[in-house]
Amino acid sequence: NAGVTQTPKFQVLKTGQSMTLQCAQDMNHEYMSWYRQDPGMGLRLIHYSVGAGITDQGEVPNGYNVSRSTTEDFPLRLLSAAPSQTSVYFCASSYSSGGGEKLFFGSGTQLSVL
Amino acid sequence: RKEVEQDPGPFNVPEGATVAFNCTYSNSASQSFFWYRQDCRKEPKLLMSVYSSGNEDGRFTAQLNRASQYISLLIRDSKLSDSATYLCVVKRQAGTALIFGKGTTLSVSS
């Protein structure tokens, strides 16, 4: 079982460059989300989606775009990278189970913006 | 005030100790509650859900106090392998994403 596949694992960008972090899940989950994790800040929600064609902003959406054209894929786009976007990024998908949700995470992307 | 708050620690305990972590949340409409575990440089993984009546999974016990908007995690007979960061997680309502606390770091030593 692939679960949640997140690529790339590592990326170095120059300020102003754009790139897309890929996220795909094969569990037919409706919910998908992107988080960033910084030292001392914990996991912060960037964007999330409750289904194909539906996305919403999280706590720190500025500088990032998302789209959800299929149930499986939820890419995160950095439009013009800034050093403040240096972070570890996690994609996650989830289903509702017993009234709650269990999040399945990708293995993360370490992004450095110089 | 952050929506989910935890004592960051670190908590340094010997093997066999009992340790408790606390978490508070600010949104009284929150519906679901969880504890996740994150090992260094790894992705978070679900440890257990938290139910109003309290629930136990082996050495781990979770409690929820809706009136005080307070969640706790108790670990009994700590093992070296329990060393990790424990994340308190809250879901506001159906159709929304999960909100994470900053995490509490536990280090268990022999």
Side-chain angles (χ1 to χ4, degrees):
Chain A
N1 286 339
V4 179
T5 303
Q6 191 179 333
T7 57
K9 289 190 180 297
F10 301 95
Q11 183 71 49
V12 179
L13 293 177
K14 294 181 179 179
T15 297
Q17 285 185 315
S18 62
M19 78 158 296
T20 299
L21 305 185
Q22 301 292 343
C23 179
Q25 52 94 5
D26 62 359
M27 297 172 282
N28 202 32
H29 288 169
E30 290 295 323
Y31 296 91
M32 296 187 75
S33 49
W34 276 101
Y35 292 86
R36 60 177 288 175
Q37 188 171 36
D38 304 291
M41 299 297 291
L43 279 156
R44 292 184 292 169
L45 181 65
I46 304 171
H47 286 284
Y48 68 99
S49 169
V50 299
I54 306 169
T55 63
D56 207 347
Q57 295 182 350
E59 182 183 359
V60 288
N62 293 340
Y64 307 95
N65 274 359
V66 293
S67 60
R68 185 93 181 273
S69 56
T70 66
T71 299
E72 294 77 20
D73 299 299
F74 191 45
L76 178 72
R77 298 183 189 85
L78 281 69
L79 306 174
S80 178
S84 61
Q85 293 178 304
T86 294
S87 187
V88 178
Y89 291 84
F90 288 103
C91 177
S93 72
S94 59
Y95 66 92
S96 292
S97 173
E101 285 184 34
K102 176 179 178 178
L103 271 180
F104 293 81
F105 281 89
S107 57
T109 297
Q110 173 73 61
L111 175 67
S112 296
V113 182
L114 307 177
Chain B
R1 178 187 173 191
K2 195 160 172 61
E3 187 160 348
V4 180
E5 298 206 55
Q6 299 180 246
D7 180 347
F11 285 68
N12 298 303
V13 302
E15 276 186 292
T18 295
V19 61
F21 304 139
N22 302 320
C23 170
T24 58
Y25 60 95
S26 61
N27 190 330
S28 59
S30 298
Q31 293 189 344
S32 305
F33 310 90
F34 311 90
W35 284 101
Y36 274 71
R37 169 191 169 131
Q38 185 174 25
D39 294 297
C40 188
R41 300 183 185 279
K42 297 286 190 181
E43 69 273 22
K45 294 184 179 178
L46 179 66
L47 178 66
M48 59 195 302
S49 300
V50 186
Y51 302 115
S52 296
S53 56
N55 50 299
E56 189 174 302
D57 183 2
R59 298 180 293 107
F60 299 84
T61 300
Q63 298 274 357
L64 167 64
N65 185 322
R66 286 189 182 271
S68 301
Q69 296 177 207
Y70 172 92
I71 306 160
S72 66
L73 177 68
L74 182 76
I75 305 175
R76 292 183 300 278
D77 188 23
S78 297
K79 312 292 185 189
L80 294 175
S81 56
D82 293 333
S83 298
T85 296
Y86 291 83
L87 305 169
C88 177
V89 184
V90 171
K91 181 178 173 70
R92 295 184 195 128
Q93 60 193 28
T96 65
L98 300 185
I99 306 300
F100 284 74
K102 293 182 181 181
T104 298
T105 300
L106 171 66
S107 177
V108 182
S109 57
S110 57

